[in-house]
Structure formats: structure tokens, C-alpha cells
Amino acid sequence: MYTTELKDKNQKSAPVSLASEDPEKLAAFEARVAADDFIEPKDWMPEAYRKTLIRQISQHAHSEIVGMLPEGNWITRAPNLRRKSILLAKVQDEGGHGLYLYAAAETLGISREEMVEALHAGKAKYSTIFNYPTLTWADIGAIGWLVDGAAIMNQVPLQRTSYGPYARAMVRICKEESFHQRQGYEIMSVLAAGTAEQKRMAQDALDRWWWPSLMMFGPPDENSPNTAQSVRWRIKRETNDELRQKFVDVTVPQAEAIGLRVPDPALKWNEARGSYDFGDIDWEEFYAVVRGEGPVAKERTQARVQAWEDGAWVREAASAHAAKCAMKVAAE
Amino acid sequence: MKRADEMLFHHALRLGDDALILGQRLSEWCGHAPMLEIDLALANIGLDLLGQAMHFLNLAGEIEGKGRDADALAFRRDVLDFRNCLLVEQPNGDFAQTIARQFLFSNWQELLMREIAAAPEPRLSAIGAKAVKEIAYHAKFASEWVVRLGDGTDESRARMIAGLDWMWRFVDELFDKKDGAPSHRAEWDMRIARTLAEARLELPKPRRGAMGGRHGHHSEHLGHLLTEMQFLQRAYPGATW
Amino acid sequence: MTNSNWPLWEVFVRAKNGLSHKHAGSVHAADARMAIEAARDVYTRRMEGVSLWVVPSSAIVASDPKETTDLFAPAEDKVYRHPTFYTIPEGVKNI
């Protein structure tokens, strides 16, 4: 979903051009990638590859950082100390994941500051899912179960993506991800087995998070022009629709196991396909959110811009102090 | 409860409440810190404190013997029954105010916890032994930031002075000897003075210390903090989460 | 106006004694002490008793992949470095 072509529906993304690259170098590069070899920071790479990776990795990083906000919203109100600690640890992990990914992107010749500025200016995107609000404690369960579940599906194959630093960051992330989804599902199952009010909370959260979670996988394959190239470069291992179908097939039984109903009247097991048929996604909603019109997009951006701007004096102070110390050492 | 148990109960409660309230305050920073690396650092400290809170409050509940665990104590007491010091319930303010609070508290908590780690009560000393290592790191982290901010830019210096000024009236309560606990004031004073000197900051002016936290008489801040923290348990009594 | 952009530091972690330091990633920090603490918070959250090295990224000198054949030519002609070059009489153990 981080490869999601988060462009306007009407803005067809031009196929990334390799025409200007040295054909011999390009052929050697493609051969290496096809042979499952890794590309490292100082290796020759087509400019299109470098640009695509910067966009994808930084989009992934921004998603982790913005993703801290919907869950962070409930840390101070978590219903018991264990849940509070788990949630704080999870959100901290997400911050850490963002950090690993920024670090990986920086090896491609872009700085953290440039990436952060692009995010704040609305030029860089992050996963659409984080533009939705967390209204009740059950939303925290839904996010862990559905959103982390979708992320895991995307991330596991990326452990063998062609770019070394990205692959290594993904290995680290996947190792830490194991408890994230489980704690979300546990929250949901406890609520679904709880009081009438808790059951209602859980069902309501599933009702609101189901469709946005399906949208996380990006537009339908026919609207994803760069998929073939991304697959060839091992930046993407399966198509949007393939992953989305997998997600539905895995998640519906999980909902049924805890007595929750997926909010899709068209959902039906298709014996012939061995998969679930499911209803149409409202792509107008998806593209609106991509355009920056998600329900709490403004809140998310404002929070990140404010943290960065409010913190400027802190960063300046630390730099100033370091400079003073360096001068002192030099004078000795 | 026997007199000795009652003292131990209140002692564990104080230790747990200090950690709980400060952990809660630090968790408010999550996602909003000046730099990602700082976000992770504050969350780490918050997690350490929440862990300490759970241990101390569970122990308090055990000693009390009325079936209350850490959650019952954290989520179903009102302000008059909380035993944390006033310092930890102070609002985060800006980063300098948060660092001022951490600096003054962790340096004190470290000295206290060294003693707890050597306490005759084995359950208490076990918690203390683990906590003391964590807290040494908290104190170092906060002290380093006092120096960076105090001796950074003019703006950071002004904010650091303001932060310390806000918190200074809550220092005396830490060393209030009414409960018979030995004071670490001299050693703490030395540590604080050393860091402030390195930060090229002056010691804040002595002033009348605010008291009451150890007896349930808190600042106006605690009520709001508890309202937020306890909401779900109060709104849905008896539910399992 | 001070530049508030903190420099990048590469982080190396030794997970336990006996192993060497392995590159784990990078952090931004204003000074070395902050870099070590950031490295600890970011890269060793789940581990105890580790050793950390932090190096300003600008201090690292990397070999140029274009020079790989010069620097790392497989020693095909230097056959004496490989144990299979030597003939050992049958039945001799531990060698």
C-alpha cells in the first residue's frame, strides 16, 4: 500500500521513464534484480528506481509517523494499565519504524528534513487509513486487527525487496510487528464477549474501519499503471487486488470467530473461486481522501506541523550547544 | 491492617502513584515531541514508569488485602486518596518544563530507589532493584537536556529558566520528613547544583514549598488528569477490557 | 540563525559478546551522547547488555562499487590461500 499511486484519479501517472538510462548498465541492473540480488546504496541504479524508492520508502515512513496519532489519541484513556503500556509500546514501535524507514530513504540521497517538509506541505502522501478518527476504545482494537493486519500482508514480502536498506528495515519491522496485530484482535475479542455496550462499540468500530482498510491496498489493478515495473523491481510482490482479496479471505473468518459482522451485504463465500466475493468499494471516497479531504486529514497535518514547529527551538538549542562544545574542544 | 502493614501500604502507594502520574504525563507527548528520537526516548521513560507503577500498586493492593489490584487503585480512587507528590502531576508545558520536572524528580527518585532496593521487605526491594537501573538513565537523560537547553540558545535558556521556576516550589515536598523517611536533600542539592552550573544556570530562588500531595491534597491538575485517565472504567463499571 | 538540522549518525550494535558490531541503521542527533542514547532507544529496545557504536555518517569512507574488481578480485590465481591446494596423506586426522 505504500506503493499506492496516491495521485488524483484524473492525473494519470506517466509511466516512469528509463529511456535516458545507459542500456548496458540498465540491463545489468535488471539482471541483478531478476536474480534476487540486492542493490546497495552506492550501486548504480536507474534514476527512476531511485525516485520511485524515495517516494515509496518515505511514504511508508510518513505513514508510520502519522499512524502514531490515531492510536496516540487513546493512550491517556486506555482502560487499564496493561492496555496503556501495550498501546504506548506499540505507538513507540511505530515511531521507531518510521525512523528506520527515514534512515533507509536517506541512503538514497534525500534528507529527513526534506521528507518532513514535503509531508507538511502536503506534497508527500501517507497511507489513507490514518485520515480516519478514533472515536472509541474499540477503534484501537480495529486498527491493530485490520490496519496492522493489512500492513503485515504488505510488509512480509518486502523483506526481500531489491533495495538492501529497505529490505533490512522491513526485516526489523516485521520482527516487531508480531504483537501489534494480536493485541488489536485481542481487544476486539474481549469487547465482543463483553457487555452489550462493549459489543456495540466493537461492531461500530468494525463498521467504520472495514472499508477504509480495504482501500488501504490502493486502487484496482487496472488503475495502477506502475505495478508491472514495481513487481519487476521487487518493490511490490503482489498486485493491489491480489492482496486485497487475501486480506478479505483471512479476515472474514476472524470476525466471525468473535461474533462480529463484516459490514458488507454483498459478502459471500464463492466455492468455485475458493475466495470471498465482496461488494464494490467507493473509489470516490478513496480519491477524496488521497486528495487530502479525509475526515481528519487537517487534524493529522496540523498535529505534525505543530510538533515540528513547536520543537524548532529545541532542535536549535541542541545544535547550538553542540557547536559551543565543539568550539571549546577545538580551543583546548 | 497492622500498623507496620499500613505504613508499607502507604509507602508502596506513594511510590506507585508517583510513577503512575508521571508515566501518564509523559505518554501525552507521544506523537508530538520535537524530534522522532525524543518521542521514543520519552515513551521509553513513560513505559519504565508505568511498569514501576504496576509493580508498586499491585504490591500495595496485596498488602492491603482487600482485593484491590493496581488497576483498581489506579482507576477507582479519587484525588483525596492519591499519594503522589505535586511535582509529577504538573502539566507538560513546553519541552523545557517537561525536562525541568523530569530533572528534579528523577534525580530524587534515583536516590530514593537505591534505598528501596536495599529495603528489608523483599517484595519492595525486588521492584526497587530493577527500577534503580532504569531511573539512573532517566536522570542522566534529563540532566543532559538541562545542559543543552540551559546553554543552547537565548530562547532555550529563557524557557529552561521558566521551566525550573515553575517546578521549584514542588521540591520541598519531596524531602518532607513527616513520614520519617531519611532525607537525601544534601546529595540531591549537590547533583542539581552541578548540572545547573554546567548549564550555566543559577539555582532558582528559595521559596515557600507547596505541600499536600502525600495527604491527598493535590493541585488543580490532578482532577483533570484523573478524569481523562479513569473515564472508561468510570463510564463502564465492572467491564473487562 | 543556528542550523537546527541534526547530523546523521550510523549505528552499530553488538548484540552479545563474541559477536561483532553489526550495522543497524542511522539516527539524527546533535551530539555524540545524544546519538548513543538515541541508538539505544531506537535500535536496542528489546535487548539487554549490548555495545553500541555511533559514527557520524560523514566520517564513513565507503569503497566504490565500480572499483570492486580491483579491490576484491577473487584470488583465482592465488591458489595457495585455499586449503584444497595442499595434498594431505590419507588417514591423517585433524588437519
Side-chain angles (χ1 to χ4, degrees):
Chain A
M1 71 211 72
Y2 312 105
T3 58
T4 305
E5 282 80 3
L6 295 180
K7 288 194 194 312
D8 237 336
K9 176 161 70 140
N10 300 317
Q11 195 191 352
K12 283 275 177 278
S13 58
V16 188
S17 170
L18 298 165
S20 55
E21 302 288 3
D22 178 324
E24 217 178 277
K25 285 201 173 106
L26 185 57
F29 169 83
E30 298 278 7
R32 278 182 69 185
V33 171
D36 259 3
D37 196 5
F38 289 102
I39 307 298
E40 296 294 347
K42 290 190 72 163
D43 292 341
W44 184 90
M45 61 183 75
E47 185 59 15
Y49 177 83
R50 197 181 70 90
K51 282 212 165 82
T52 301
L53 272 176
I54 286 178
R55 186 173 54 79
Q56 177 165 336
I57 299 173
S58 63
Q59 208 160 275
H60 195 165
H62 295 324
S63 299
E64 297 281 355
I65 301 311
V66 177
M68 292 170 78
L69 297 171
E71 288 171 300
N73 186 31
W74 277 89
I75 297 173
T76 53
R77 290 178 292 170
N80 62 44
L81 295 177
R82 176 171 171 259
R83 293 287 178 212
K84 191 193 289 288
S85 298
I86 290 173
L87 186 57
L88 181 54
K90 176 177 194 284
V91 175
Q92 186 197 36
D93 267 0
E94 274 147 29
H97 294 175
L99 214 153
Y100 304 154
L101 291 163
Y102 283 132
E106 284 189 271
T107 64
L108 287 161
I110 187 171
S111 72
R112 168 111 60 101
E113 289 72 33
E114 284 173 274
M115 289 186 275
V116 166
E117 266 151 38
L119 173 68
H120 294 171
K123 289 201 227 110
K125 304 285 183 183
Y126 52 89
S127 188
T128 50
I129 194 75
F130 301 118
N131 291 302
Y132 293 85
T134 48
L135 303 181
T136 70
W137 173 251
D139 287 38
I140 302 304
I143 289 178
W145 172 35
L146 303 174
V147 177
D148 283 83
I152 287 169
M153 248 175 213
N154 203 66
Q155 281 164 190
V156 166
L158 283 174
Q159 291 178 107
R160 290 209 50 88
T161 192
S162 58
Y163 189 56
Y166 192 20
R168 288 188 287 277
M170 292 318 304
V171 167
R172 194 174 267 281
I173 288 172
C174 288
K175 260 199 208 116
E176 298 181 352
E177 205 67 69
S178 57
F179 92 86
H180 292 187
Q181 192 191 19
R182 231 174 294 139
Q183 62 88 46
Y185 188 62
E186 190 192 58
I187 289 174
M188 290 302 259
S189 74
V190 168
L191 292 175
T195 66
E197 291 154 321
Q198 287 176 307
K199 275 199 240 305
R200 174 188 176 215
M201 229 187 255
Q203 183 60 60
D204 179 77
L206 177 55
D207 290 346
R208 281 181 291 105
W209 287 92
W210 176 255
W211 292 103
S213 297
L214 295 194
M215 290 176 203
M216 275 179 86
F217 294 95
D221 292 349
E222 70 253 21
N223 288 351
S224 300
N226 289 337
T227 292
Q229 183 182 85
S230 292
V231 171
R232 195 175 78 241
W233 284 347
R234 294 182 4 236
I235 294 172
K236 193 165 175 167
R237 305 298 290 226
E238 290 171 81
T239 72
N240 296 350
D241 288 336
E242 281 167 359
L243 283 173
R244 189 172 7 249
Q245 181 67 69
K246 230 196 225 176
F247 176 77
V248 172
D249 291 342
V250 160
T251 311
V252 170
Q254 290 171 345
E256 288 170 352
I258 55 177
L260 293 178
R261 182 199 64 239
V262 169
D264 182 358
L267 187 70
K268 194 155 176 263
W269 176 254
N270 184 322
E271 190 60 50
R273 290 198 306 124
S275 261
Y276 282 95
D277 290 336
F278 55 94
D280 291 331
I281 290 171
D282 180 358
W283 291 110
E284 290 303 322
E285 178 181 333
F286 171 76
Y287 284 110
V289 177
V290 168
R291 277 199 304 275
E293 294 166 25
V296 293
K298 286 201 181 295
E299 281 86 341
R300 300 294 179 237
T301 306
Q302 184 188 62
R304 289 312 307 158
V305 170
Q306 200 162 327
W308 186 252
E309 288 179 355
D310 287 354
W313 68 268
V314 177
R315 298 189 300 274
E316 278 159 30
S319 296
H321 180 74
K324 285 186 191 179
C325 290
M327 282 199 321
K328 243 186 252 167
V329 167
E332 276 159 20
Chain B
M1 267 192 293
K2 293 203 290 280
R3 174 86 185 122
D5 280 350
E6 209 177 317
M7 282 183 63
L8 193 56
F9 168 69
H10 284 294
H11 195 176
L13 214 59
R14 277 196 304 273
L15 293 166
D17 284 349
D18 279 350
L20 173 66
I21 300 304
L22 189 51
Q24 173 80 355
R25 278 297 188 214
L26 288 171
S27 71
E28 291 170 18
W29 273 105
C30 205
H32 306 285
M35 191 79 174
L36 203 41
E37 284 81 349
I38 298 178
D39 225 304
L40 267 62
L42 293 176
N44 258 349
I45 298 176
L47 277 166
D48 284 349
L49 289 169
L50 285 175
Q52 291 168 22
M54 284 190 274
H55 283 122
F56 283 123
L57 291 179
N58 273 326
L59 178 61
E62 233 176 84
I63 294 163
E64 188 192 37
K66 289 189 181 144
R68 291 203 283 184
D69 63 358
D71 283 336
L73 290 166
F75 291 88
R76 299 201 288 278
R77 279 179 297 155
D78 198 352
V79 290
L80 292 180
D81 294 316
F82 268 83
R83 296 277 176 271
N84 56 284
C85 60
L86 297 172
L87 179 62
V88 295
E89 67 194 57
Q90 297 309 303
N92 287 335
D94 65 6
F95 187 64
Q97 188 162 310
T98 289
I99 287 298
R101 182 185 62 202
Q102 200 69 48
F103 169 61
L104 300 174
F105 179 77
S106 295
N107 275 294
W108 168 80
Q109 196 195 27
E110 192 186 352
L111 297 173
L112 177 70
M113 209 55 68
R114 267 196 336 220
E115 209 178 271
I116 304 280
E121 218 292 335
R123 292 169 296 178
L124 203 62
S125 64
I127 304 171
K130 177 167 182 282
V132 93
K133 290 187 219 134
E134 295 171 343
I135 298 165
Y137 185 77
H138 305 170
K140 217 182 265 182
F141 172 85
S143 304
E144 285 161 8
W145 271 105
V146 169
V147 173
R148 287 188 195 109
L149 299 181
D151 191 22
T153 61
D154 289 340
E155 180 174 4
S156 70
R157 183 186 165 76
R159 286 175 184 261
M160 195 64 242
I161 290 170
L164 287 165
D165 186 61
W166 181 274
M167 300 294 169
W168 201 255
R169 64 200 142 125
F170 305 114
V171 165
D172 285 348
E173 187 186 36
L174 299 176
F175 301 99
D176 191 31
K177 284 171 88 169
K178 286 210 185 83
D179 59 7
S183 169
H184 302 283
R185 188 72 195 243
E187 193 176 349
W188 183 89
D189 278 340
M190 243 177 34
R191 286 184 169 211
I192 298 311
R194 192 173 54 221
T195 298
L196 292 182
E198 201 187 330
R200 312 210 301 145
L201 293 169
E202 278 165 25
L203 209 63
K205 286 191 334 285
R207 65 205 65 187
R208 184 178 173 79
M211 299 284 174
R214 300 301 188 196
H215 310 288
H217 290 160
H218 291 276
S219 70
E220 289 180 348
H221 303 294
L222 186 64
H224 293 287
L225 185 154
L226 293 183
T227 301
E228 199 174 327
M229 190 175 82
Q230 298 181 342
F231 171 76
L232 280 177
Q233 287 223 12
R234 300 283 189 182
Y236 303 97
T240 305
W241 303 91
Chain C
M1 162 80 157
T2 324
N3 173 27
S4 65
N5 292 340
W6 294 350
L8 194 62
W9 302 70
E10 300 300 325
V11 177
F12 300 83
V13 182
R14 186 197 341 261
K16 64 178 193 197
N17 281 1
L19 301 175
S20 45
H21 285 79
K22 217 170 95 140
H23 182 241
S26 61
V27 292
H28 281 273
D31 57 59
R33 179 71 211 160
M34 201 193 287
I36 283 272
E37 285 170 7
R40 171 209 185 258
D41 288 337
V42 176
Y43 293 104
T44 70
R45 265 199 322 284
R46 285 167 165 76
M47 298 193 279
E48 298 281 356
V50 299
S51 165
L52 285 168
W53 287 350
V54 292
V55 183
S57 306
S58 55
I60 296 196
V61 181
S63 61
D64 186 340
K66 291 203 285 288
E67 292 179 321
T68 305
T69 42
D70 299 337
L71 287 174
F72 303 116
E76 280 160 354
D77 55 329
K78 299 185 174 65
V79 114
Y80 53 79
R81 285 210 185 97
H82 297 276
T84 50
F85 174 81
Y86 302 94
T87 319
I88 306 290
E90 294 250 327
V92 178
K93 299 199 202 343
N94 301 320
I95 186 158

